Amino acid sequence: MYSMLNLVAGFLLLLLQLLQGGSALDNGLALKPPMGWMSWQRFRCITDCKTYPDECISEQLFRRHADLIVSEGYADVGYEYVIIDDCWLEKDRDNKTKKLVPDRKRFPNGLNVLADHIHERGLKFGLYQDFGTNTCAGYPGVINHMALDAATFANWDVDYVKLDGCYANISDMAAGYPEFGRLLNSTGRPMVYSCSWPAYQSEVGQMPEYESLKKHCNLWRNWDDIDDSLESVMQIIDYFGKNQDSIQPHAGPGHWNDPDMLLLGNYGLSYDQSKLQMAIWAVLAAPLIMSNDLAKVRPEIKDILQNRAVIAVNQDPLGIQGRRLLMKNNIEVWRRPITPTADAEYSYAVAFVSRRVDGAPYAISFTLKDLSLNNVYGYGVQDLFEPNSNLGVFRPESHFNTRVIPNGVNFYKFTALGI
Ligand code: GLA
């Protein structure tokens, strides 16, 4: 009798989940932080194609970038998603069907043709929308047409959805974001789901609901938008450092914190500051979403974006997000546990970040113990920005000395050694 009841209860639960399109996201995607390219940071909402033909948000821009991701070698090191951000829509939905309509002049062939172009190059196609009545730039949002829009995305062969949160009530988001995730799932097309919900909560001082985000989203924007400056990068790094106890534990395969796009290749960061963003984004297990003009990235910046050793830290299979370990004399030490492990001891990526501006490279010295690197057999050390470097073996008592330039980073891998 008891097992019969159990069976009936189990069946009812299953039925409920099926009716809801599954209870959690569970789409098997983004097992490593997504890598790709997105239009917003570099191209914002440029819609005047007459004056700015190479920069306006148009089919041409995304075709060109899909081609460049492959021809410039970015695809070979893992960059995969080509994502249209805001400003791709007509201002009104289709009168009869109520479907979203891509801008008729700038996307004259519709999105399927563009999706094909992207897929033919072995890449994946991402699209921006907004949970509210309007996107942040004022185009129609999904709120009253969620099922229709999820189905439309699937029909357009979308692989990744960024759902922003302008023009919405924050109090509606706890139900609304999971609901849209369920609707995406129930189309049967696997789509990575990027949620901006927590950025809107943290903006008004609310604590993001990470347990729910983890269940319903593959990644989420924790905080404010990035701008093209070191100051902006540092503010984001600070936010992630100060709030790491509430943020860091929630990252893992399938669900990531997102500090926003990579600025590399644009106007605001120097060569050394570009390394700094790349290193800390690797420590944070952040999505590596570039936003730049890939035809114009200088070779030395491209080398940073394509640094395989740094990307390997970012994509480490353990998926453990790093933390700010200590701050001393305006030097920050960030540390992330990574593979390989030796006798249950992790290896570590360690970034020394200088916030100093006093001129000379600043000399620092730590024992490995100070950095909580306690493996008795020691660590082989490599400079992640000097491929094939070998700085020797260091044990917990050994001193590790390095000099960091103003607003710079030194980034090392400490590989745990076994017996
Ligand atoms: C918000 C987002 C940005 C970008 C713009 C588009 O500000 O946080 O990343 O998508 O909207 O309008």
Side-chain angles (χ1 to χ4, degrees), residues 21-30 177-186 189-195 212-220 254-255:
S23 67
L25 183 69
D26 194 22
N27 58 8
L29 298 173
Y177 270 90
E179 174 62 9
F180 197 69
R182 271 192 290 273
L183 290 166
L184 289 176
N185 247 7
S186 60
R189 182 174 179 87
M191 289 183 256
V192 170
Y193 185 33
S194 162
C195 299
S212 177
L213 285 162
K214 243 163 38 184
K215 254 203 245 152
H216 299 291
C217 305
N218 294 116
L219 62 153
W220 49 82
H255 43 94

Side-chain angles (χ1 to χ4, degrees), residues 162 195-196 198-199 219-226 258-260:
K162 169 178 173 181
C195 299
S196 300
L219 62 153
W220 49 82
R221 279 280 310 283
N222 302 68
W223 198 57
D224 216 358
D225 287 10
I226 200 159
D258 178 7
D260 212 356

Side-chain angles (χ1 to χ4, degrees), residues 40 85-86 128 136-137 162 164 221 225 261:
W40 182 254
D85 206 282
D86 207 347
Y128 166 101
C136 294
K162 169 178 173 181
D164 210 341
R221 279 280 310 283
D225 287 10
M261 291 159 270

Side-chain angles (χ1 to χ4, degrees), residues 236-298:
I236 292 173
I237 291 176
D238 250 349
Y239 181 83
F240 274 74
K242 280 187 188 140
N243 297 287
Q244 59 188 358
D245 288 344
S246 52
I247 294 175
Q248 182 269 345
H250 304 296
H255 43 94
W256 308 101
N257 294 296
D258 178 7
D260 212 356
M261 291 159 270
L262 291 171
L263 301 175
L264 286 82
N266 293 318
Y267 310 109
L269 299 186
S270 70
Y271 172 69
D272 291 293
Q273 295 161 0
S274 300
K275 284 185 177 173
L276 197 162
Q277 192 192 13
M278 194 72 184
I280 296 300
W281 264 232
V283 169
L284 291 176
L288 296 181
I289 309 289
M290 304 179 282
S291 186
N292 47 18
D293 187 333
L294 286 176
K296 296 192 177 146
V297 177
R298 295 201 313 267

